[in-house]
Amino acid sequence: MSTLHARERLLTWLALMTLAILAWGYLIMHGLHMPMPMNESMGRASNLDLSLLGMATLMWSVMMVAMMLPSAGPMILTYLRINQQHERVGGAIPATWIFVSGYLAVWLAFAIAAAVMQWALHESALLSSSMGHVSSLLGGTLLMTAGVFQFSNLKQACLSKCRSPLSFLMTEWREGKTGALTMGIKHGAYCTGCCWALMLLMFVGGVMSLVWMAGLALYLLAEKLLPQAERISQISGGLLAGAGVIVLLSAAY
C-alpha cells in the first residue's frame, strides 16, 4: 500500500506541475501577441463590454494558476499524505483535487475582482493601453501599500498558515469531500490574504509583463518555502515602500 501511496503522490505532483506549466505556456504563447483585453477599443466603449471583461478574467485566472499553484504544492501534497493515512471514503486522489478546486476557486474570485479593477482603471484613464501600467501616482501608492502591508500582523498571520501545511491541516481538518472543499477554500483565503497586495503590483510592472509575473511568482515561492520568512517580508517591504516613495516624488516633480 505504501508503494501505491507513493505513486499517487508522484502522479499528483506531476499533475500539479503540468497544470502550472500549461498555464505558463498559455501566457508565454499568447501574452506577447494577444492584444490587451482592455485596449483602445474599450476606451471608446461607453458601456461595459462583457466579452472583453471575460478575456481579462481569463487572463487573470490563468495568471493565478501559473503563479500560485507551485507555491501551494507542499500544502496539497501534505493533504494527500494525511488523507492516504486515513484512507478516506472516496479515495485520497478525488478528495485532493476537491481541495485544489476550493483553493483555486478563491483565486478565481480574486481574478474576477482584478479584471473588474483593470477595466475601472482603464475607464478612469489611470491604466495605459499598451502593457497595462498604471499612472505614476497610483503606481507609487500601490508600491507603498504593498510595502507597508509586508510589516502587518495580517500578512504574517496568513503567511504562517501558508508556510506550515501540517499545522494548518491539523487545526482545520474536516472530514470527507465537503471538508476537503472547505479546507481548500480556507487555505485559498489565507493565501490571498498573504499575497493580494503583491499581486496588485502587476498593475505597476505591467499586467501582461511575463518578466514581472515570473519575478513575483519566484518571490512568493521563496517567501513561503525559504527559512526566515518574516525577515524576507520585512526586507521586501522596506524596498517596496522605498520604491513607492521614489515613484511618488518623481511624479510630484
Side-chain angles (χ1 to χ4, degrees):
M1 185 62 68
S2 61
T3 302
L4 176 60
H5 287 173
R7 184 168 59 186
E8 287 180 343
R9 290 194 292 270
L10 176 60
L11 290 175
T12 301
W13 180 83
L14 289 174
L16 290 171
M17 292 302 100
T18 299
L19 185 58
I21 290 170
L22 288 174
W24 278 108
Y26 176 88
L27 294 172
I28 293 171
M29 291 292 292
H30 297 279
L32 294 178
H33 306 290
M34 183 176 64
M36 284 291 295
M38 308 297 175
N39 60 12
E40 287 84 351
S41 62
M42 179 165 285
R44 295 193 297 268
S46 57
N47 299 315
L48 174 64
D49 188 324
L50 293 180
S51 65
L52 293 177
L53 181 58
M55 290 175 61
T57 302
L58 174 62
M59 180 193 69
W60 277 97
S61 298
V62 175
M63 284 167 54
M64 295 305 99
V65 173
M67 297 173 69
M68 301 312 303
L69 195 57
S71 65
M75 180 71 73
I76 296 168
L77 293 176
T78 301
Y79 172 82
L80 173 59
R81 184 165 58 251
I82 294 174
N83 219 19
Q84 287 174 331
Q85 292 171 353
H86 289 215
E87 291 294 342
R88 307 229 169 268
V89 176
I93 292 293
T96 299
W97 286 103
I98 293 174
F99 180 91
V100 175
S101 298
Y103 174 79
L104 292 179
V106 179
W107 279 111
L108 176 60
F110 178 88
I112 294 172
V116 173
M117 181 179 177
Q118 184 178 334
W119 171 79
L121 288 171
H122 195 283
E123 287 292 288
S124 303
L126 295 175
L127 187 71
S128 70
S129 300
S130 56
M131 286 294 289
H133 297 89
V134 292
S135 64
S136 296
L137 179 61
L138 182 56
T141 302
L142 288 175
L143 284 166
M144 287 194 64
T145 300
V148 171
F149 184 72
Q150 292 292 92
F151 293 91
S152 69
N153 292 331
L154 177 60
K155 164 73 180 190
Q156 297 305 322
C158 291
L159 181 58
S160 67
K161 295 288 186 179
C162 295
R163 285 176 54 84
S164 306
L166 187 60
S167 175
F168 170 82
L169 293 170
M170 290 296 97
T171 57
E172 301 289 345
W173 188 264
R174 303 290 188 275
E175 297 291 339
K177 294 180 180 179
T178 301
L181 181 63
T182 300
M183 285 187 288
I185 292 173
K186 281 194 172 184
H187 176 47
Y190 281 122
C191 191
T192 305
C194 172
C195 305
W196 67 270
L198 293 172
M199 282 298 180
L200 292 183
L201 295 182
M202 287 301 303
F203 289 110
V204 180
V207 175
M208 293 300 295
S209 171
L210 293 172
V211 173
W212 201 251
M213 290 180 207
L216 277 176
L218 288 174
Y219 172 79
L220 294 172
L221 189 64
E223 194 176 58
K224 292 181 181 181
L225 299 183
L226 294 181
Q228 297 184 331
E230 186 174 355
R231 178 67 61 86
I232 294 174
S233 295
Q234 291 174 349
I235 293 173
S236 64
L239 293 174
L240 289 171
V245 171
I246 293 172
V247 172
L248 289 174
L249 289 177
S250 65
Y253 296 98

